[in-house]
Amino acid sequence: SEGQARLVSPAETSEIRWMSWRDFLDDARNNPAAYSLWCVDGARILEKIPRFQELFKARTGAYAVIH
């Protein structure tokens, strides 16, 4: 929404869109150049944290994995 779009700086952001975590992980794996390096690295770090996996699985019924 317009209100959510105001939370990002146009000087720092080329695009904003909502997607599921699973879709994000798949897209980050298949199109890493579309994301900042810290974003892809952060996703890889999160997937290795057992507590994050526990919470993610409880919410979605699946594990978060990026290759």
Side-chain angles (χ1 to χ4, degrees), residues 17 23-36 40 66:
R17 61 188 157 130
D23 288 346
F24 162 71
L25 291 175
D26 289 344
D27 199 47
R29 181 182 60 243
N30 295 323
N31 303 301
Y35 301 92
S36 66
V40 176
I66 188 171

Side-chain angles (χ1 to χ4, degrees), residues 21-66:
W21 182 252
R22 169 67 50 214
D23 288 346
F24 162 71
L25 291 175
D26 289 344
D27 199 47
R29 181 182 60 243
N30 295 323
N31 303 301
Y35 301 92
S36 66
L37 181 59
W38 67 263
C39 181
V40 176
D41 285 349
R44 289 181 177 142
I45 290 167
L46 282 174
E47 77 165 334
K48 294 177 183 175
I49 298 172
R51 180 66 176 147
F52 176 80
Q53 287 291 346
E54 178 185 322
L55 293 171
F56 185 84
K57 186 170 190 239
R59 180 163 166 81
T60 67
Y63 289 99
V65 179
I66 188 171

